Amino acid sequence: MASSKELRRRIKSVKNTAQITKAMEMVAGTKMRRAQNQAISGRPYIEALNKSLYQVLNTGDKISSSLLLPNESAKTAILVLTTDKSLCGGLNTNIFRYIATMDTHQDWDLRKELTYYTVGKKGRQFIVRSTRTLSADFENYESVDFSQVLKIQRVLRKLFLDSEISSVYLLYPHFVSVLQQIPTLIKILPIQKTWGLELTGLELKRQIFLEPEKDVLVDYLLNHYLDAQIYQALLETKASEHSSRMIAMKNATDNAIELVEDLKLGYNQIRQDTITRELSEISGAALALE
Amino acid sequence: MAQFDCRIITPEKIIFDDSVQYVSISTSLGRIGILPHHADLMAKIVPGELSIEYGDDIIVLAIGEGFVNMHDGDLTVLTDLAKSPEEIDEDLIQAAHERAVQALQHKLSDEEYALTLGVIEKSVAQLKIKRRSVKN
């Protein structure tokens, strides 16, 4: 059995850890609320944008844009969004596990040669370590910035338009709730006309007045759609990161407190033993003197 | 009076969502007015002013870039900025405006140039609306 001194030291160290994780939990909690708000309030915008795009792409008019057409390239790009820091539960691990399952994915595009683009240090490290092809790593900011989105969009769009890559996918943790974040894979290029099949009841194939001329507007919408899609995914990733970290830290704190209780029990037992032994020695000695 | 549903959404939040009588908005081809039963329309909007006849009130907002979509009698406005005069901080916008004008003196990449122009257009739109509301 450990000595009482040793136990005392352990109790102190576990208590310190609990304090740190508690602090991290509170920090993550504050960040989470902000990120969560941002992610959730961004959703109506992207939904409305989705719907508008769907309507404009499915009018009777013929619409052509190179962003809508697949090309012959043998490569598929995947933009993986992860976090820079760890200590956020299984968030990144779930993404990595998803990447591993992609090798046997049904989707035809994913059977091609996959080339990865990352935002977030953890994702970059995973791609490199697992000897997958890392083409570029984008900077990950503490708070999501639209200029960051423009950089990413410009790079991927150019590669796509130059037929370097045949399609672009986004892989990110979708924020469902504080307790649940689901790795989500969506195809962002070529933009699909059949998007939002769940939008039933929309009457299609009818005339919509477009201003300015069709091509300019469609071009604007498509580019903006790409931006918004990446932006929203970045927001979701942030919200997921902070909620996941908060939960992980809460669990760590709870565990530490439990551990302290156990250790205290052991420590008190030893202390009591010592006291009892000393008492009996003293009374034994007193008896011997009589 | 006949009304139609109007929603104004920015990436941050839903700014407005209710039945209105009339909406006027600046598009890349000039100002357009939208009354109930307007034909389906999709138009790119430019930084400027959006006004809504809402009940007995007229709401005026400074708006940024984006587009409007009139579909089945419902109007959706998607824009990166929508602020009422009360929300506009004149000094802040004025400062941003001056910074952007300064920045134009330097050589900029195409993208930076477009972004800076956007900032200028948006700040001008906001200042205009703010100053007019102060005057009244």
mmCIF file of all heavy atoms in Angstrom, chain A residues 25-66:
data_model
loop_
_atom_site.group_PDB
_atom_site.id
_atom_site.type_symbol
_atom_site.label_atom_id
_atom_site.label_comp_id
_atom_site.label_asym_id
_atom_site.label_seq_id
_atom_site.Cartn_x
_atom_site.Cartn_y
_atom_site.Cartn_z
ATOM 1 N N GLU A 25 -12.566 23.954 -19.445
ATOM 2 C CA GLU A 25 -13.982 23.730 -19.718
ATOM 3 C C GLU A 25 -14.724 25.060 -19.818
ATOM 4 O O GLU A 25 -15.528 25.277 -20.713
ATOM 5 C CB GLU A 25 -14.589 22.875 -18.597
ATOM 6 C CG GLU A 25 -16.069 22.635 -18.735
ATOM 7 C CD GLU A 25 -16.668 22.059 -17.450
ATOM 8 O OE1 GLU A 25 -15.937 21.399 -16.689
ATOM 9 O OE2 GLU A 25 -17.859 22.280 -17.225
ATOM 10 N N MET A 26 -14.402 25.955 -18.890
ATOM 11 C CA MET A 26 -15.100 27.241 -18.896
ATOM 12 C C MET A 26 -14.727 28.068 -20.111
ATOM 13 O O MET A 26 -15.580 28.694 -20.726
ATOM 14 C CB MET A 26 -14.802 27.995 -17.614
ATOM 15 C CG MET A 26 -15.139 27.134 -16.447
ATOM 16 S SD MET A 26 -16.008 27.842 -15.099
ATOM 17 C CE MET A 26 -14.853 28.806 -14.276
ATOM 18 N N VAL A 27 -13.447 28.054 -20.464
ATOM 19 C CA VAL A 27 -13.015 28.799 -21.648
ATOM 20 C C VAL A 27 -13.718 28.252 -22.883
ATOM 21 O O VAL A 27 -14.279 28.997 -23.689
ATOM 22 C CB VAL A 27 -11.480 28.697 -21.819
ATOM 23 C CG1 VAL A 27 -11.066 29.290 -23.150
ATOM 24 C CG2 VAL A 27 -10.774 29.407 -20.686
ATOM 25 N N ALA A 28 -13.707 26.913 -23.017
ATOM 26 C CA ALA A 28 -14.343 26.294 -24.183
ATOM 27 C C ALA A 28 -15.833 26.602 -24.189
ATOM 28 O O ALA A 28 -16.429 26.819 -25.247
ATOM 29 C CB ALA A 28 -14.105 24.785 -24.165
ATOM 30 N N GLY A 29 -16.422 26.648 -23.002
ATOM 31 C CA GLY A 29 -17.855 26.927 -22.912
ATOM 32 C C GLY A 29 -18.204 28.294 -23.469
ATOM 33 O O GLY A 29 -19.161 28.447 -24.219
ATOM 34 N N THR A 30 -17.390 29.277 -23.124
ATOM 35 C CA THR A 30 -17.636 30.629 -23.633
ATOM 36 C C THR A 30 -17.481 30.667 -25.140
ATOM 37 O O THR A 30 -18.329 31.203 -25.862
ATOM 38 C CB THR A 30 -16.624 31.616 -23.011
ATOM 39 O OG1 THR A 30 -16.405 31.237 -21.677
ATOM 40 C CG2 THR A 30 -17.119 33.024 -23.099
ATOM 41 N N LYS A 31 -16.386 30.072 -25.608
ATOM 42 C CA LYS A 31 -16.142 30.064 -27.051
ATOM 43 C C LYS A 31 -17.234 29.289 -27.766
ATOM 44 O O LYS A 31 -17.647 29.638 -28.867
ATOM 45 C CB LYS A 31 -14.793 29.419 -27.353
ATOM 46 C CG LYS A 31 -13.630 30.315 -27.031
ATOM 47 C CD LYS A 31 -12.342 29.641 -27.440
ATOM 48 C CE LYS A 31 -11.162 30.497 -27.113
ATOM 49 N NZ LYS A 31 -9.913 29.729 -27.231
ATOM 50 N N MET A 32 -17.681 28.225 -27.128
ATOM 51 C CA MET A 32 -18.704 27.372 -27.739
ATOM 52 C C MET A 32 -19.970 28.161 -27.997
ATOM 53 O O MET A 32 -20.539 28.081 -29.067
ATOM 54 C CB MET A 32 -19.004 26.194 -26.832
ATOM 55 C CG MET A 32 -20.102 25.304 -27.359
ATOM 56 S SD MET A 32 -20.716 24.212 -26.084
ATOM 57 C CE MET A 32 -21.803 25.312 -25.214
ATOM 58 N N ARG A 33 -20.394 28.927 -26.982
ATOM 59 C CA ARG A 33 -21.649 29.658 -27.157
ATOM 60 C C ARG A 33 -21.574 30.585 -28.355
ATOM 61 O O ARG A 33 -22.503 30.671 -29.146
ATOM 62 C CB ARG A 33 -21.978 30.436 -25.882
ATOM 63 C CG ARG A 33 -22.854 29.618 -24.924
ATOM 64 C CD ARG A 33 -23.248 30.430 -23.726
ATOM 65 N NE ARG A 33 -22.106 30.722 -22.862
ATOM 66 C CZ ARG A 33 -21.620 29.847 -21.977
ATOM 67 N NH1 ARG A 33 -22.170 28.663 -21.842
ATOM 68 N NH2 ARG A 33 -20.585 30.157 -21.230
ATOM 69 N N ARG A 34 -20.444 31.251 -28.503
ATOM 70 C CA ARG A 34 -20.318 32.174 -29.629
ATOM 71 C C ARG A 34 -20.303 31.413 -30.961
ATOM 72 O O ARG A 34 -21.031 31.748 -31.889
ATOM 73 C CB ARG A 34 -19.045 33.006 -29.473
ATOM 74 C CG ARG A 34 -19.194 34.385 -30.068
ATOM 75 C CD ARG A 34 -17.897 35.152 -30.025
ATOM 76 N NE ARG A 34 -16.809 34.396 -30.617
ATOM 77 C CZ ARG A 34 -15.551 34.444 -30.181
ATOM 78 N NH1 ARG A 34 -15.255 35.170 -29.138
ATOM 79 N NH2 ARG A 34 -14.609 33.743 -30.773
ATOM 80 N N ALA A 35 -19.471 30.372 -31.013
ATOM 81 C CA ALA A 35 -19.326 29.625 -32.255
ATOM 82 C C ALA A 35 -20.644 28.947 -32.637
ATOM 83 O O ALA A 35 -21.028 28.897 -33.801
ATOM 84 C CB ALA A 35 -18.221 28.582 -32.106
ATOM 85 N N GLN A 36 -21.319 28.452 -31.623
ATOM 86 C CA GLN A 36 -22.583 27.754 -31.842
ATOM 87 C C GLN A 36 -23.621 28.717 -32.411
ATOM 88 O O GLN A 36 -24.312 28.406 -33.367
ATOM 89 C CB GLN A 36 -23.048 27.248 -30.487
ATOM 90 C CG GLN A 36 -23.974 26.087 -30.517
ATOM 91 C CD GLN A 36 -24.254 25.647 -29.096
ATOM 92 O OE1 GLN A 36 -23.340 25.578 -28.280
ATOM 93 N NE2 GLN A 36 -25.489 25.387 -28.788
ATOM 94 N N ASN A 37 -23.683 29.909 -31.824
ATOM 95 C CA ASN A 37 -24.604 30.925 -32.324
ATOM 96 C C ASN A 37 -24.338 31.238 -33.775
ATOM 97 O O ASN A 37 -25.254 31.310 -34.589
ATOM 98 C CB ASN A 37 -24.436 32.229 -31.526
ATOM 99 C CG ASN A 37 -25.396 32.260 -30.377
ATOM 100 O OD1 ASN A 37 -26.395 31.541 -30.404
ATOM 101 N ND2 ASN A 37 -25.101 33.062 -29.379
ATOM 102 N N GLN A 38 -23.063 31.427 -34.067
ATOM 103 C CA GLN A 38 -22.680 31.764 -35.431
ATOM 104 C C GLN A 38 -23.091 30.668 -36.393
ATOM 105 O O GLN A 38 -23.649 30.931 -37.456
ATOM 106 C CB GLN A 38 -21.169 31.942 -35.499
ATOM 107 C CG GLN A 38 -20.718 33.385 -35.437
ATOM 108 C CD GLN A 38 -19.242 33.479 -35.765
ATOM 109 O OE1 GLN A 38 -18.451 32.613 -35.377
ATOM 110 N NE2 GLN A 38 -18.852 34.513 -36.473
ATOM 111 N N ALA A 39 -22.797 29.426 -36.006
ATOM 112 C CA ALA A 39 -23.078 28.300 -36.905
ATOM 113 C C ALA A 39 -24.573 28.167 -37.137
ATOM 114 O O ALA A 39 -25.033 27.997 -38.266
ATOM 115 C CB ALA A 39 -22.508 27.012 -36.325
ATOM 116 N N ILE A 40 -25.343 28.283 -36.072
ATOM 117 C CA ILE A 40 -26.772 28.063 -36.208
ATOM 118 C C ILE A 40 -27.441 29.215 -36.949
ATOM 119 O O ILE A 40 -28.302 28.998 -37.796
ATOM 120 C CB ILE A 40 -27.410 27.826 -34.823
ATOM 121 C CG1 ILE A 40 -26.960 26.456 -34.329
ATOM 122 C CG2 ILE A 40 -28.922 27.896 -34.880
ATOM 123 C CD1 ILE A 40 -27.333 26.137 -32.926
ATOM 124 N N SER A 41 -26.989 30.442 -36.656
ATOM 125 C CA SER A 41 -27.653 31.561 -37.336
ATOM 126 C C SER A 41 -27.197 31.683 -38.781
ATOM 127 O O SER A 41 -27.810 32.405 -39.571
ATOM 128 C CB SER A 41 -27.445 32.863 -36.569
ATOM 129 O OG SER A 41 -26.094 33.023 -36.244
ATOM 130 N N GLY A 42 -26.132 30.985 -39.162
ATOM 131 C CA GLY A 42 -25.727 31.002 -40.568
ATOM 132 C C GLY A 42 -26.561 30.068 -41.426
ATOM 133 O O GLY A 42 -26.567 30.178 -42.647
ATOM 134 N N ARG A 43 -27.277 29.157 -40.780
ATOM 135 C CA ARG A 43 -27.989 28.137 -41.561
ATOM 136 C C ARG A 43 -29.139 28.663 -42.420
ATOM 137 O O ARG A 43 -29.266 28.241 -43.567
ATOM 138 C CB ARG A 43 -28.484 27.030 -40.641
ATOM 139 C CG ARG A 43 -27.331 26.102 -40.265
ATOM 140 C CD ARG A 43 -27.785 24.985 -39.373
ATOM 141 N NE ARG A 43 -26.624 24.352 -38.747
ATOM 142 C CZ ARG A 43 -26.702 23.545 -37.714
ATOM 143 N NH1 ARG A 43 -27.883 23.269 -37.191
ATOM 144 N NH2 ARG A 43 -25.627 22.995 -37.207
ATOM 145 N N PRO A 44 -29.996 29.576 -41.896
ATOM 146 C CA PRO A 44 -31.088 30.056 -42.752
ATOM 147 C C PRO A 44 -30.563 30.672 -44.052
ATOM 148 O O PRO A 44 -31.166 30.516 -45.106
ATOM 149 C CB PRO A 44 -31.780 31.132 -41.900
ATOM 150 C CG PRO A 44 -31.394 30.847 -40.524
ATOM 151 C CD PRO A 44 -30.062 30.171 -40.562
ATOM 152 N N TYR A 45 -29.424 31.354 -43.939
ATOM 153 C CA TYR A 45 -28.860 32.001 -45.117
ATOM 154 C C TYR A 45 -28.511 30.964 -46.178
ATOM 155 O O TYR A 45 -28.900 31.088 -47.337
ATOM 156 C CB TYR A 45 -27.615 32.785 -44.699
ATOM 157 C CG TYR A 45 -26.995 33.611 -45.797
ATOM 158 C CD1 TYR A 45 -27.465 34.879 -46.078
ATOM 159 C CD2 TYR A 45 -25.934 33.124 -46.542
ATOM 160 C CE1 TYR A 45 -26.904 35.646 -47.077
ATOM 161 C CE2 TYR A 45 -25.361 33.877 -47.543
ATOM 162 C CZ TYR A 45 -25.847 35.146 -47.808
ATOM 163 O OH TYR A 45 -25.282 35.897 -48.802
ATOM 164 N N ILE A 46 -27.809 29.941 -45.755
ATOM 165 C CA ILE A 46 -27.361 28.963 -46.745
ATOM 166 C C ILE A 46 -28.544 28.161 -47.296
ATOM 167 O O ILE A 46 -28.564 27.790 -48.461
ATOM 168 C CB ILE A 46 -26.242 28.068 -46.183
ATOM 169 C CG1 ILE A 46 -25.530 27.352 -47.324
ATOM 170 C CG2 ILE A 46 -26.735 27.060 -45.194
ATOM 171 C CD1 ILE A 46 -24.073 27.363 -47.192
ATOM 172 N N GLU A 47 -29.547 27.964 -46.457
ATOM 173 C CA GLU A 47 -30.737 27.260 -46.957
ATOM 174 C C GLU A 47 -31.446 28.074 -48.023
ATOM 175 O O GLU A 47 -31.833 27.554 -49.069
ATOM 176 C CB GLU A 47 -31.705 26.983 -45.803
ATOM 177 C CG GLU A 47 -31.423 25.662 -45.113
ATOM 178 C CD GLU A 47 -32.075 25.578 -43.743
ATOM 179 O OE1 GLU A 47 -33.155 26.182 -43.562
ATOM 180 O OE2 GLU A 47 -31.492 24.929 -42.862
ATOM 181 N N ALA A 48 -31.607 29.370 -47.751
ATOM 182 C CA ALA A 48 -32.268 30.241 -48.722
ATOM 183 C C ALA A 48 -31.455 30.321 -50.010
ATOM 184 O O ALA A 48 -31.999 30.337 -51.116
ATOM 185 C CB ALA A 48 -32.467 31.630 -48.129
ATOM 186 N N LEU A 49 -30.144 30.341 -49.845
ATOM 187 C CA LEU A 49 -29.261 30.401 -51.008
ATOM 188 C C LEU A 49 -29.387 29.123 -51.840
ATOM 189 O O LEU A 49 -29.505 29.168 -53.072
ATOM 190 C CB LEU A 49 -27.824 30.603 -50.528
ATOM 191 C CG LEU A 49 -26.748 30.801 -51.580
ATOM 192 C CD1 LEU A 49 -27.048 32.023 -52.410
ATOM 193 C CD2 LEU A 49 -25.385 30.964 -50.925
ATOM 194 N N ASN A 50 -29.377 28.000 -51.146
ATOM 195 C CA ASN A 50 -29.573 26.701 -51.784
ATOM 196 C C ASN A 50 -30.822 26.686 -52.644
ATOM 197 O O ASN A 50 -30.820 26.248 -53.783
ATOM 198 C CB ASN A 50 -29.802 25.650 -50.694
ATOM 199 C CG ASN A 50 -28.617 24.748 -50.535
ATOM 200 O OD1 ASN A 50 -27.814 24.630 -51.451
ATOM 201 N ND2 ASN A 50 -28.497 24.125 -49.395
ATOM 202 N N LYS A 51 -31.892 27.162 -52.043
ATOM 203 C CA LYS A 51 -33.193 27.126 -52.674
ATOM 204 C C LYS A 51 -33.216 28.010 -53.924
ATOM 205 O O LYS A 51 -33.686 27.597 -54.977
ATOM 206 C CB LYS A 51 -34.234 27.629 -51.659
ATOM 207 C CG LYS A 51 -35.590 27.035 -51.832
ATOM 208 C CD LYS A 51 -36.366 27.250 -50.554
ATOM 209 C CE LYS A 51 -37.813 27.528 -50.837
ATOM 210 N NZ LYS A 51 -38.559 27.818 -49.602
ATOM 211 N N SER A 52 -32.664 29.201 -53.772
ATOM 212 C CA SER A 52 -32.632 30.130 -54.902
ATOM 213 C C SER A 52 -31.817 29.549 -56.051
ATOM 214 O O SER A 52 -32.205 29.630 -57.211
ATOM 215 C CB SER A 52 -32.012 31.457 -54.482
ATOM 216 O OG SER A 52 -32.769 32.028 -53.470
ATOM 217 N N LEU A 53 -30.690 28.972 -55.686
ATOM 218 C CA LEU A 53 -29.816 28.408 -56.706
ATOM 219 C C LEU A 53 -30.526 27.269 -57.436
ATOM 220 O O LEU A 53 -30.477 27.155 -58.660
ATOM 221 C CB LEU A 53 -28.537 27.894 -56.041
ATOM 222 C CG LEU A 53 -27.397 27.571 -56.982
ATOM 223 C CD1 LEU A 53 -26.906 28.843 -57.631
ATOM 224 C CD2 LEU A 53 -26.253 26.922 -56.237
ATOM 225 N N TYR A 54 -31.191 26.472 -56.652
ATOM 226 C CA TYR A 54 -31.937 25.350 -57.221
ATOM 227 C C TYR A 54 -32.986 25.851 -58.203
ATOM 228 O O TYR A 54 -33.152 25.312 -59.298
ATOM 229 C CB TYR A 54 -32.595 24.586 -56.063
ATOM 230 C CG TYR A 54 -33.357 23.376 -56.474
ATOM 231 C CD1 TYR A 54 -32.708 22.309 -57.076
ATOM 232 C CD2 TYR A 54 -34.727 23.294 -56.251
ATOM 233 C CE1 TYR A 54 -33.409 21.182 -57.447
ATOM 234 C CE2 TYR A 54 -35.434 22.165 -56.617
ATOM 235 C CZ TYR A 54 -34.771 21.111 -57.211
ATOM 236 O OH TYR A 54 -35.466 20.000 -57.572
ATOM 237 N N GLN A 55 -33.668 26.918 -57.808
ATOM 238 C CA GLN A 55 -34.695 27.472 -58.686
ATOM 239 C C GLN A 55 -34.095 28.006 -59.982
ATOM 240 O O GLN A 55 -34.604 27.761 -61.062
ATOM 241 C CB GLN A 55 -35.448 28.596 -57.972
ATOM 242 C CG GLN A 55 -36.425 28.077 -56.947
ATOM 243 C CD GLN A 55 -36.791 29.148 -55.928
ATOM 244 O OE1 GLN A 55 -36.391 30.296 -56.050
ATOM 245 N NE2 GLN A 55 -37.547 28.765 -54.920
ATOM 246 N N VAL A 56 -33.002 28.711 -59.837
ATOM 247 C CA VAL A 56 -32.443 29.339 -61.030
ATOM 248 C C VAL A 56 -31.826 28.289 -61.957
ATOM 249 O O VAL A 56 -31.881 28.410 -63.181
ATOM 250 C CB VAL A 56 -31.434 30.453 -60.651
ATOM 251 C CG1 VAL A 56 -30.058 29.927 -60.411
ATOM 252 C CG2 VAL A 56 -31.395 31.507 -61.724
ATOM 253 N N LEU A 57 -31.295 27.226 -61.386
ATOM 254 C CA LEU A 57 -30.673 26.192 -62.224
ATOM 255 C C LEU A 57 -31.716 25.316 -62.905
ATOM 256 O O LEU A 57 -31.417 24.618 -63.863
ATOM 257 C CB LEU A 57 -29.742 25.307 -61.390
ATOM 258 C CG LEU A 57 -28.484 25.990 -60.863
ATOM 259 C CD1 LEU A 57 -27.653 25.008 -60.084
ATOM 260 C CD2 LEU A 57 -27.677 26.594 -61.983
ATOM 261 N N ASN A 58 -32.918 25.348 -62.395
ATOM 262 C CA ASN A 58 -33.937 24.479 -62.970
ATOM 263 C C ASN A 58 -35.050 25.251 -63.671
ATOM 264 O O ASN A 58 -36.174 24.799 -63.761
ATOM 265 C CB ASN A 58 -34.515 23.582 -61.872
ATOM 266 C CG ASN A 58 -33.499 22.537 -61.446
ATOM 267 O OD1 ASN A 58 -33.196 21.604 -62.161
ATOM 268 N ND2 ASN A 58 -32.923 22.739 -60.277
ATOM 269 N N THR A 59 -34.732 26.439 -64.137
ATOM 270 C CA THR A 59 -35.710 27.142 -64.973
ATOM 271 C C THR A 59 -35.663 26.514 -66.351
ATOM 272 O O THR A 59 -34.776 25.729 -66.665
ATOM 273 C CB THR A 59 -35.365 28.628 -65.133
ATOM 274 O OG1 THR A 59 -34.013 28.713 -65.529
ATOM 275 C CG2 THR A 59 -35.584 29.383 -63.853
ATOM 276 N N GLY A 60 -36.613 26.908 -67.178
ATOM 277 C CA GLY A 60 -36.632 26.371 -68.530
ATOM 278 C C GLY A 60 -35.395 26.770 -69.316
ATOM 279 O O GLY A 60 -34.937 26.053 -70.194
ATOM 280 N N ASP A 61 -34.830 27.915 -68.970
ATOM 281 C CA ASP A 61 -33.671 28.409 -69.717
ATOM 282 C C ASP A 61 -32.498 27.466 -69.616
ATOM 283 O O ASP A 61 -32.298 26.818 -68.610
ATOM 284 C CB ASP A 61 -33.219 29.762 -69.142
ATOM 285 C CG ASP A 61 -34.203 30.848 -69.478
ATOM 286 O OD1 ASP A 61 -35.128 30.555 -70.253
ATOM 287 O OD2 ASP A 61 -34.049 31.962 -68.948
ATOM 288 N N LYS A 62 -31.722 27.455 -70.659
ATOM 289 C CA LYS A 62 -30.523 26.639 -70.609
ATOM 290 C C LYS A 62 -29.438 27.440 -69.887
ATOM 291 O O LYS A 62 -29.178 28.582 -70.230
ATOM 292 C CB LYS A 62 -30.070 26.287 -72.028
ATOM 293 C CG LYS A 62 -28.927 25.304 -72.011
ATOM 294 C CD LYS A 62 -28.851 24.521 -73.301
ATOM 295 C CE LYS A 62 -27.585 23.690 -73.357
ATOM 296 N NZ LYS A 62 -27.300 22.984 -72.116
ATOM 297 N N ILE A 63 -28.849 26.827 -68.905
ATOM 298 C CA ILE A 63 -27.813 27.526 -68.159
ATOM 299 C C ILE A 63 -26.512 26.769 -68.285
ATOM 300 O O ILE A 63 -26.451 25.562 -68.065
ATOM 301 C CB ILE A 63 -28.222 27.671 -66.685
ATOM 302 C CG1 ILE A 63 -29.239 28.790 -66.582
ATOM 303 C CG2 ILE A 63 -27.016 27.975 -65.811
ATOM 304 C CD1 ILE A 63 -29.941 28.870 -65.289
ATOM 305 N N SER A 64 -25.492 27.477 -68.679
ATOM 306 C CA SER A 64 -24.218 26.783 -68.785
ATOM 307 C C SER A 64 -23.183 27.547 -67.984
ATOM 308 O O SER A 64 -23.110 28.768 -68.023
ATOM 309 C CB SER A 64 -23.793 26.678 -70.241
ATOM 310 O OG SER A 64 -23.674 27.970 -70.766
ATOM 311 N N SER A 65 -22.423 26.795 -67.220
ATOM 312 C CA SER A 65 -21.319 27.382 -66.487
ATOM 313 C C SER A 65 -20.327 26.255 -66.272
ATOM 314 O O SER A 65 -20.719 25.116 -66.025
ATOM 315 C CB SER A 65 -21.786 27.921 -65.134
ATOM 316 O OG SER A 65 -20.666 28.151 -64.319
ATOM 317 N N SER A 66 -19.051 26.578 -66.387
ATOM 318 C CA SER A 66 -18.064 25.506 -66.256
ATOM 319 C C SER A 66 -18.031 24.963 -64.828
ATOM 320 O O SER A 66 -17.489 23.905 -64.573
ATOM 321 C CB SER A 66 -16.690 25.989 -66.690
ATOM 322 O OG SER A 66 -16.547 27.346 -66.391
#
